[in-house]
Structure formats: C-alpha cells, structure tokens
Amino acid sequence: MDPIRAARGTELSALGWQQEAALRMLHNNLDPEVAERPQDLVVYGGTGKAARDWPSFHALTRTLRSLRDDETMLVQSGRPVGVFRTHEWAPRVLIANSNLVGDWATWPEFRRLEALGLTMYGQMTAGSWIYIGTQGILQGTYETFAAVAAKRFGGSLAGTLTLTAGCGGMGGAQPLAVTMNDGVCLVIDVDAARLRRRVDTRYLDMVASDLDEALATVLKAKAERRALSVGVVGNAATLVPEILARGVGVDIVTDQTSAHDPLSYVPEGVDPGDAPDYAAKKPEEFTDRARASMAKHVEAMVGFLDAGTEVFDYGNSIRGEAKLGGYERAFDFPGFVPAYIRPLFCEGKGPFRWAALSGDPADIAATDRAILELFPENESLARWIRMAGERVAFQGLPARICWLGYGERDKAGLRFNELVASGAVTAPIVIGRDHLDCGSVASPYRETEAMRDGSDAIADWPLLNALVNTASGASWVSIHHGGGVGIGRSIHAGQVTVADGTPLAAQKIERVLTNDPGMGVIRHVDAGYERAEQVAAEHGVRVPMRESDDVT
Amino acid sequence: MDPIRAARGTELSALGWQQEAALRMLHNNLDPEVAERPQDLVVYGGTGKAARDWPSFHALTRTLRSLRDDETMLVQSGRPVGVFRTHEWAPRVLIANSNLVGDWATWPEFRRLEALGLTMYGQMTAGSWIYIGTQGILQGTYETFAAVAAKRFGGSLAGTLTLTAGCGGMGGAQPLAVTMNDGVCLVIDVDAARLRRRVDTRYLDMVASDLDEALATVLKAKAERRALSVGVVGNAATLVPEILARGVGVDIVTDQTSAHDPLSYVPEGVDPGDAPDYAAKKPEEFTDRARASMAKHVEAMVGFLDAGTEVFDYGNSIRGEAKLGGYERAFDFPGFVPAYIRPLFCEGKGPFRWAALSGDPADIAATDRAILELFPENESLARWIRMAGERVAFQGLPARICWLGYGERDKAGLRFNELVASGAVTAPIVIGRDHLDCGSVASPYRETEAMRDGSDAIADWPLLNALVNTASGASWVSIHHGGGVGIGRSIHAGQVTVADGTPLAAQKIERVLTNDPGMGVIRHVDAGYERAEQVAAEHGVRVPMRESDDVT
Ligand SMILES: NC(=O)c1ccc[n+]([C@@H]2O[C@H](COP(=O)([O-])OP(=O)(O)OC[C@H]3O[C@@H](n4cnc5c(N)ncnc54)[C@H](O)[C@@H]3O)[C@@H](O)[C@H]2O)c1
Ligand SMILES: NC(=O)c1ccc[n+]([C@@H]2O[C@H](COP(=O)([O-])OP(=O)(O)OC[C@H]3O[C@@H](n4cnc5c(N)ncnc54)[C@H](O)[C@@H]3O)[C@@H](O)[C@H]2O)c1
C-alpha cells in the first residue's frame, strides 16, 4: 500500500467540509511524517492508533465520503459501527475508544480484548484524529516552563538555571523549551547518543565534555542572562547529588528520565548499552537497583528543595518509584499540574490547536498573524508564536498549537472562520485540542492530581465535557480511556470543530469554544479554586450552586 | 418541608415544556408514592438518589425554571454545575452520575467520595429522573417469563409449572408475572410475612399450609391449564431438593432469593427471625453456612436441568455463591439475559416507558389504546397493556411501560406526539426508558454477560449511546456508573424525550427513538448475532463494516 497522506486543496471527496475535515485528519494522523508506525496504524504514544485495523480504516474512509450533512457516524475503538440520521448541528462523527467497565479496566484484560480484535488503544489524539506531531510536546513543555517563570521568576527564565535529566522522546523538548523562555538548561542523559540527536535537530545547543565544563558553561550563560542549553553525559543518580554537593546556583530542578517504568531507568553502575539485556534477563534485580538509584536521585532533588530551589515532578512517576526504593520524603515536591498548570486550568486555558486543510503553510502563517493581533498583550504567547514560526518544521498538514483560555478560544476560532470566509486562507481550518485540557479529563496521577476538594477520581467531568461539546456543535467528539497514563488511570474527552467560513460554523465555533473551556472554569469553581471563581464572575460563566433563589 | 410532588396540568413554571418535563420528573422521582426514602432523596435500589443533597435539589429546581430553549444545564452526580448556551436541538439537561476512573472504581473509594459530598449513587433511573415505581419491575419480570414462554413453550405458560424462591422486593413480582403469562407458579420463601404481604397486594394468590398442599394445588391448576400462584414457607435449600426428589412435573426453575449477599440468604437450620443478628455477630460462619446451603440449592436446580427442565439464574449471583460454596457445576445453567433477553436486544427491544405530565390517568388510558391500535399483532404486548390497565396502581404521575423494538418505538412516540397535538391527551408526554436496554449498557454480570464475541466488558457502547442521543434531540441524557450491579461493574446511559405536540418534537422523537434502539441492533450485529443482522437488513440499519466499497 502507498503511504497515506491527507488530500490538500479545496476539492472535496466528501459531501461537506466537516466530513472532509475528519477524513483528512484521519489520513493526516497516518502520514509517515506524523505517525510513528503508520504501517501498524500507530500514531504515537507506544500503541496509540488512528483506526482499529485496515478493514476499519477503509470503512472509515468510505463512510466519511458518503456521509450526509444530517448524518452521524459512530466509531467504537477505531471501527465504524453505525451511521444514524441526526441533524445539521450534530457532530458528523462520535468516537468512544478503549473504554472498559471499571473492574475490567486492567492492562491484561485490555490486551486480551485487543488480541480478540474488539478494541484498540486510542491514546489522546491518535484515535480522535487531531495529533499534529511533536509540536504539541514542545509547546506543552514551553508552556510549563513559562508557568514556572510566571509563578516564581517574574515571567521569564532569563538569568535562571534549570537542571533536568532525560533527553528522550518527550524529555528532549526540555532544553529548547527552557531556552525559548530565555533560560539556561543543563540536561543529563546517561546515553550520549540521545544528547547528540537533540543537537542535530536543534533542540539542544551543545554537549559538554564533562561536568566541570558543563557547569562552567551554564553558569557563565546564567550570569550573562543568555539563553543556552547544555547536555552532559552521566547517570542522574550520580550527577544530581554531585551538583547539589558542589553548591551550584540552580534555580529549577525537574526530571524526565523514563522513571515510570523501572526497567527503563538505568541504575548507577550499569552501562546504558547493557541495560536492555540486563533488564530482560533479571527484571527483579534490575528493578531493585533502578529504584535504589531513583531514591538517591530524588533525595538530591529534595536536597535542592530544602535549599529553596523550585522542584517539581514532570509526570514520570519518579516520586512513586523513589518511595518504593525506600526514600520516605519523595512526595515532598509536587507534580507539575498542581504546581503550575492548575492555575491555567482555572482560567479555562489549555492546548488549543489547529490545522490548515489546504496544506498550505501560508495559511498557518496567516493564522499566526491573527493570533498576534488578537492578543497583543500576551507576551509569552507572542514569543511562542514567533519562535514556532521560525523553528517548528511542520509534520503532515501545517498546524499550530498555543495555550488559550476562556474568552480567548472563541475569539480565535471566529477570527479563523472569518479568514476562511474572506479567502485570506485558502481552505477551511480545523480547530481542536489535546484531551489534556482544563475540563476534559479525570486522571488522578496527572491532570487531576491533588485537587483541592479531593475530587481527583471523579470521572463525571470528562463525560459532561463530551456531552456538552456534542450539544454545542462540534464536528467530531471523542471519549477515551487510558491515554498517557494508561488503562485504569484516566478518562478524557476531545472535540474538533471545523471553521469552513459559513455563518453556521461561526455559531457552532462560538458555542463550542466557549463551552469547552467553560467546563474547565466550572470544574475548578466546583473544586473550590478562587481563581476559577474570579474568572467565572468576570466572564459571567453561570454556576447554579452560587446563584440564589432571588436571582432567577 | 412538605412532601414533594410533581406539578400537574398545563400551567408552566419553566420557560418551555422540555424544562418543565425535567422539573416534574425530578419532583416525581421524590414523590412519597414513588420514592423509597424521599426525606433522604433516595428513590430506589438501596441508595439511588435523584439529587445529591437539598441545596442541589433547590438549585436544580431554580435553574430548570429559568433555563431557556437554547440552554443546557449540566448535572454532575446530582448537582447542577453549569449552564451553557447551546441550541434548540440540544438536550436541556446533560447528566453524569457516579462515574469514577477505573482504578478508583471501588465501593470504599466511592463511599469515601460520597462522604466528602463529591458524588452520589445514581442507580439507573433515580439520578436520571425517569423512575416510575414498581411497575417497571413487574413488567421486566413479565417480559422475562414471556420470553421463556416464547422460547420453549409456544408463546404461553398455560399448562406449565414454575418453581422459584424469594418473594421480596423484586422477587415478589414473579408469581404475578407468571400468572399474567397464564402459568402456574410455586414460590418458596423462608419468611412467612413476605408471602402474606404479597397476597395482600394481589401479587400472590394464596399461601399453602405445607408442601403437600402446595404441590397438590399447583399440579391441579397446571392440569386444568389455569393461572395460579401459590406460596409455601420453607428454606429453598431444603425444599427445592425435596421437590426434585419427589419427581414433580416442574417445567421452569429459577430463584430470586437475596443470594447476591451471603449475609442475606438464610442458611438451612436458621430461623429467619434470628438470621440478621447471627449474620451481624458471626459473619464468616454465617457466610460459610449460607454458601453451603446455596450449593445444595443450586445442585438441585442442576438436577432439574439434567431432567430437562428450563432453568435460569435471575440476576442474583446464586451461581457464583454456590460455586464458592463448593458446588462445581453451578454455572451449568445460564443467566437470564443470554438465555431470553438477548434475542430481544438483537431486535432493538427494551423497556420503553412514558408518563403523562397532566397527571391525568385518562391520558395514559389514551396512550394504552394507541399502543393496542399500533401493534395489533403483538399478543403478549396486548395482554400486558390490558392487565396493567386493570392491575397496576399508579405511583406519582400516571405512567406506563412496555417493551418495544426498533421500528416500533419511533412509531409509538410519534403517535403520542400526535395525541398531544390534537388534544386527545391534555398535556405533553415524556418518553424514556430504563438504562437496562439493548444498546445502552456494558455490564458483564448482567446485560452483557457471555456476549458471543467476548465483548462483555467493552464500555464504548453506552458512551456512544449517550452521545448519539445527545446528537439526535433527546430532552435529557445521562451516563451512569454502577446501577443495579454496583460500582466497578457497569456503565450505562439513558435518555428522555418530550412529546409536546410540536413539529420539532416530532422530528426529535423520530430520530431519538430510531437511533437509541438502533444502538442495540448495531451492538449485536457487531458481536455477531444473526438475528440482529436480519433486523438491520430488514430495516436498513447501516453497518459500515458490512458495506463494500462499491455501495458508496
Ligand atoms: N509531563 C508529561 O505529561 C509527560 C508526558 C509524557 C511522558 N512523560 C514521562 O516522561 C518520561 C520521559 O518520557 P520520554 O518519552 O522522553 O522517554 P524516553 O524513554 O524516550 O527517554 C528517557 C531518557 O532517559 C534517559 N535515562 C534513563 N535512565 C537514566 C538515568 N539513570 N540517568 C540519566 N538519564 C537516564 C534515557 O537514556 C532516555 O534518553 C517518561 O517517564 C514519561 O512517562 C511525562
Ligand atoms: N433480575 C434482575 O435484573 C435483578 C434485579 C434486581 C435484583 N436482583 C436480585 O434478585 C435478588 C432478590 O432481590 P429482592 O429485592 O427481591 O431481595 P429481598 O431481600 O427483598 O428479598 C429476598 C427474599 O429471599 C428470601 N430468602 C432468603 N433466604 C432464603 C432461603 N434460604 N430460602 C427461601 N427464601 C429465602 C427472603 O426471606 C426475602 O423474602 C437479589 O439478589 C437481587 O440482587 C435481580
């Protein structure tokens, strides 16, 4: 079979732009530039797929091409299972991926059902057809470091030094995200090849020959308030304590080694080249040693914390593993969501993204300009948009991502719809987002860790999010189980809405892009966050429990 | 506070009939005639609630009264958490109750969150505002015995003898359901008071003084093909084996003792009056003895099976408990869903119900006549409607339930809408259903037990059901976790649609009442049931995987 690639341009192979958009984005998810293993239908995240199998893929394509403007296709874990007559305001596609009844929500049961051909892993944006490549990871990491800067360093990382480890698939975005925030970054990786690859792709500026050179280089840049990223080869369990002991002026410490899986974290004294073989042959012994190393690593992170440094867990479970390794104070520092992201969630902020169905990069440039015009006061946003324009190579259909909040997303969406209507862009724009968003996910180890009211595991919210997006005019809506944190650990929802330049699309965009982030605002009001209450009050978001009988 | 009772008549206290209907049905669920413990907001099923707490109840009432025709209220586990602008085709209310992330989907965690005020137990129709009292249980039991009759006895139980045990809250519907199907029923209960109460309410015809009299009476009635129900006091673990040993001509054997909870099943040799105290003081010993008795009880049921009798488990887990009690062949007979109900599900059949917002019983009489006119060829349906009209005392707003399938529900709904439009009924009719339906539930111990393709635990289907009902014009839609089988064991969805006599309502009814049972058809086509494939083919239900590239 030829590689799959989304159609470009303005010629439709479906009966309307909403159907065409779903079709192009399904195909785009499987473009070799975008997907990790397109031949297996795997888009990203280990086994996150766009369709269950090839017959399902072909049936999806065929059904989208014939779907009418008042019809809706239902997708059950990557397979189209029905087409029903609905109405024009209804989504064209409704998707439920990887969902299991609670007592059966385990990896072994999931794998068993997957082997029977009954389900697939949808990840977050793989099975919901709105993955746009690694730009999303870079932007999320950029946003996190921007939030660190906002919280502690007056809005910029200029003149600060960040120490981290792990320069792999996700972690490799850290050095660039720090320098995009004008900071200095020192990143440790046990595997020299990983660091070199990041230099090749311009995510990392240089690799130092040893720790002394690395420290001298980063401290000089910090003193000069010059953005710079430096890699150093070594084991984090050795080097982090060493840097702590030397009393170096580090401002921020985090980590993105592959700590979530103790067979992936390389223990001290083990050569990274030998690790996979050793882990396969003696998994228990390897696990014990990895956890002992992580305990040492995290103990040093807590040492930095005690010294006043900003320290956070970056979603890799290193605190839990260090605790299993015998280190009691592992949870003294917080996860990144409660520390930095939750205040954004309270404002309905989250990863807004869009793609140009024309395939023309000039269309994204036009939307970039529109964003800069719409939000001139948001400097961090402007910095991101400009740098992304320069540095991000598109994968598949040209796309952009940035974080926008309640009252902003609808503005941007309506502007994009005007650009389509006026011909300033050459074809419709699809507007979607990650399932990781302010009001769309229940995930007690990540997005909903340590909610103020203890509601971490309440899963009503993502379901309401999917229902209200369906009721507001989204073009396709999805509910997934699993995603980034795995089976049994999260439920999340997504939506994509097509700006085709019509007045009807404008009405739908206005409602969806108000109500969708609105879910984030009310979810955080309900949990007792004051910032969310302020935002609700400022923007007139209705919260029935806060209204009195007099009001109505 | 005064008892809550739904408003009657045609005067609106809300801005439209859909909002008014939700309001009245919320209040109706808490009517003392309907609810088990209205003072605690508990409707039925142990702790199934209509609203989280009294402040939430008042906020729901107030918000429904002010909700506009293009607005949607969101309800998170019985509490209104938001109001968003949507559109006229959107539901007025979207509900998610009791949902938890898989790894936290346990009773202890649920109870902990409930105690924190963060969730409530929604059961199936309690938190979704469409419970109509015990008529639902009677009708479900009637339908099950009708299905037994259809499968094995030529469509009627006339001339057959059914042996069962357990005459409590649910089980007490059995004798009446059997006689409504023209059969003879012998029901054993260890507690004489339970049997007497059922005679008082005309669910049971008589209580015999001993087993000899009971058997003589039922065998005479069976020989005369005369409908009759007889109760006998005794322990099922003693009497079922005794009746087997006597070689009595029993045609059907089942059981509805409270076997799901071994502390509720009375062991042999224990007086029912002493059982609660004994169970509380020595739970382990009591459990062992109860399971040993259940093993004996089920062994006798398998004895009947070996003798050619129709034997089934009626959803009380007695097979599992007997197996724990050491009896190996416990699962030799099937559960009632795979045995009788699944063939109905393949046809999109399920418990269709409606209520008259006028409060006037004459309106239900008019709808009863409409059903008899619409489906003259369905004898079992006609028998039910006539007997229900005679025997069922309304609780709260007058209501009716009957099972209808794909191609029938939309017809009935449209007819009801015409009755409203023409003034043949005096106010709008709400049309809903139980969450136990053909395409709305994933519940591996009940509704989706032993699916042909092994997809019992796949939970995508109820989520798609809720999404497609939201996209089709339902007035309110709900997604619940738990329900009849408990936390961790099921996910299910519900919808209610208001027939207010308008052309728009007709369009919505036509779509919802086609697509909702359509989910049952496609779910069973996907699982490989031939009957569902026939139904899909006959009615033109689209199944994308069965279409070829040529078609479209
Ligand atoms: N923040 C989030 O939301 C988020 C998102 C995705 C992934 N993660 C987590 O981040 C972690 C990294 O993800 P990834 O995709 O980059 O993984 P990866 O496997 O691609 O990279 C891990 C890197 O860590 C290095 N490493 C392993 N042990 C080391 C040690 N002892 N010292 C120094 N370096 C070591 C490896 O050489 C490798 O380069 C994972 O645990 C993942 O679950 C977090
Ligand atoms: N079919 C379904 O879908 C469905 C629905 C609801 C409930 N159930 C199950 O049906 C069972 C009965 O429910 P219920 O609400 O009627 O319970 P209940 O507690 O009201 O009644 C149980 C009855 O069984 C009697 N009993 C107990 N031990 C006995 C023994 N050894 N011999 C004879 N009688 C005995 C009790 O005296 C009581 O009258 C439960 O296990 C319930 O979970 C099934």
Side-chain angles (χ1 to χ4, degrees), chain A residues 181-253:
Chain A
N181 276 291
D182 293 334
V184 180
C185 182
L186 176 58
V187 56
I188 301 162
D189 201 295
V190 73
D191 183 350
R194 297 291 189 118
L195 294 171
R196 276 197 303 272
R197 190 178 315 157
R198 293 290 159 177
V199 173
D200 293 343
T201 56
R202 295 169 54 213
Y203 271 59
L204 179 65
D205 293 326
M206 60 173 283
V207 181
S209 53
D210 61 22
L211 184 62
D212 290 331
E213 186 199 321
L215 288 176
T217 314
V218 294
L219 288 172
K220 183 157 180 288
K222 175 180 167 172
E224 295 167 359
R225 300 179 67 83
R226 182 164 44 83
L228 182 72
S229 60
V230 177
V232 62
V233 181
N235 194 303
T238 311
L239 293 191
V240 179
E242 170 71 26
I243 296 166
L244 174 69
R246 293 203 194 180
V248 175
V250 176
D251 302 281
I252 300 159
V253 177

Side-chain angles (χ1 to χ4, degrees), chain B residues 91-319:
Chain B
R92 295 287 75 78
V93 189
L94 296 169
I95 299 171
N97 284 328
S98 326
N99 296 286
L100 295 174
V101 178
D103 283 0
W104 289 263
T106 65
W107 277 114
E109 179 67 9
F110 178 80
R111 296 279 177 233
R112 194 182 72 75
L113 292 165
E114 193 183 27
L116 288 171
L118 297 171
T119 188
M120 70 160 200
Y121 204 63
Q123 262 289 359
M124 300 186 105
T125 53
S128 58
W129 313 338
I130 188 69
Y131 185 66
I132 56 164
T134 57
Q135 186 181 166
I137 293 150
L138 176 61
Q139 207 279 335
T141 312
Y142 170 81
E143 195 68 35
T144 301
F145 281 103
V148 175
K151 181 177 173 189
R152 177 101 182 238
F153 303 100
S156 162
L157 294 185
T160 68
L161 172 58
T162 296
L163 171 64
T164 187
C167 209
M170 302 292 201
Q174 297 177 102
L176 181 53
V178 171
T179 55
M180 281 183 150
N181 276 292
D182 294 333
V184 180
C185 181
L186 176 59
V187 57
I188 302 162
D189 200 294
V190 73
D191 183 348
R194 298 293 189 117
L195 293 171
R196 276 197 305 271
R197 190 180 312 157
R198 293 293 161 176
V199 173
D200 294 343
T201 54
R202 295 167 59 211
Y203 271 60
L204 179 64
D205 294 326
M206 59 174 281
V207 181
S209 52
D210 61 21
L211 183 63
D212 290 331
E213 187 198 320
L215 289 176
T217 313
V218 295
L219 288 173
K220 185 158 179 287
K222 174 180 167 173
E224 294 168 359
R225 301 179 66 85
R226 184 165 43 84
L228 181 74
S229 60
V230 177
V232 63
V233 181
N235 194 303
T238 310
L239 294 191
V240 179
E242 169 71 27
I243 296 166
L244 174 70
R246 291 200 194 184
V248 176
V250 176
D251 303 282
I252 299 159
V253 177
T254 188
D255 178 66
Q256 279 211 15
T257 57
S258 38
H260 71 285
D261 174 6
L263 296 180
S264 294
Y265 184 98
V266 182
E268 280 193 282
V270 174
D271 185 274
D274 301 337
D277 194 49
Y278 179 18
K281 288 206 176 111
K282 298 186 178 173
E284 273 102 38
E285 184 183 307
F286 191 99
T287 297
D288 286 347
R289 288 185 61 182
R291 287 189 176 141
S293 291
M294 286 192 258
K296 229 186 118 185
H297 182 168
V298 171
E299 184 175 9
M301 292 174 79
V302 172
F304 276 109
L305 181 78
D306 289 341
T309 308
E310 186 76 16
V311 182
F312 63 94
D313 173 309
Y314 208 165
N316 67 349
S317 298
I318 198 168
R319 291 172 298 173

Side-chain angles (χ1 to χ4, degrees), chain A residues 68-329:
Chain A
R68 282 189 281 263
D69 287 338
D70 64 350
E71 287 184 330
T72 298
M73 174 175 74
L74 306 190
V75 179
Q76 183 259 319
S77 289
R79 166 173 293 177
V81 292
V83 171
F84 290 115
R85 178 146 183 240
T86 53
H87 53 80
E88 266 207 314
W89 273 85
R92 294 287 75 77
V93 189
L94 296 168
I95 299 171
N97 283 330
S98 325
N99 296 285
L100 295 174
V101 177
D103 283 0
W104 289 262
T106 65
W107 276 115
E109 179 66 9
F110 178 80
R111 296 280 178 232
R112 194 183 70 77
L113 292 164
E114 193 183 28
L116 287 172
L118 298 170
T119 188
M120 70 160 200
Y121 204 63
Q123 262 291 359
M124 302 189 104
T125 53
S128 57
W129 313 337
I130 187 71
Y131 185 66
I132 56 165
T134 56
Q135 186 180 166
I137 294 150
L138 177 62
Q139 206 279 335
T141 312
Y142 170 81
E143 194 68 34
T144 300
F145 281 103
V148 175
K151 182 178 174 189
R152 178 102 181 236
F153 304 99
S156 162
L157 294 185
T160 69
L161 172 57
T162 297
L163 172 63
T164 187
C167 209
M170 302 291 202
Q174 296 177 103
L176 181 54
V178 171
T179 55
M180 281 182 150
N181 276 291
D182 293 334
V184 180
C185 182
L186 176 58
V187 56
I188 301 162
D189 201 295
V190 73
D191 183 350
R194 297 291 189 118
L195 294 171
R196 276 197 303 272
R197 190 178 315 157
R198 293 290 159 177
V199 173
D200 293 343
T201 56
R202 295 169 54 213
Y203 271 59
L204 179 65
D205 293 326
M206 60 173 283
V207 181
S209 53
D210 61 22
L211 184 62
D212 290 331
E213 186 199 321
L215 288 176
T217 314
V218 294
L219 288 172
K220 183 157 180 288
K222 175 180 167 172
E224 295 167 359
R225 300 179 67 83
R226 182 164 44 83
L228 182 72
S229 60
V230 177
V232 62
V233 181
N235 194 303
T238 311
L239 293 191
V240 179
E242 170 71 26
I243 296 166
L244 174 69
R246 293 203 194 180
V248 175
V250 176
D251 302 281
I252 300 159
V253 177
T254 189
D255 179 65
Q256 279 211 21
T257 57
S258 38
H260 71 285
D261 173 7
L263 297 181
S264 292
Y265 184 97
V266 181
E268 280 193 281
V270 174
D271 186 274
D274 301 337
D277 194 47
Y278 179 17
K281 288 205 177 113
K282 298 185 177 174
E284 272 100 38
E285 184 183 306
F286 192 99
T287 297
D288 289 346
R289 288 186 63 183
R291 287 191 175 138
S293 291
M294 286 192 256
K296 230 187 118 185
H297 182 167
V298 170
E299 185 174 9
M301 292 173 79
V302 171
F304 277 108
L305 181 78
D306 289 341
T309 307
E310 186 75 16
V311 182
F312 63 94
D313 173 308
Y314 209 165
N316 67 349
S317 299
I318 197 168
R319 292 172 300 172
E321 294 297 321
K323 187 146 192 199
L324 290 171
Y327 179 60
E328 281 305 318
R329 291 183 59 199

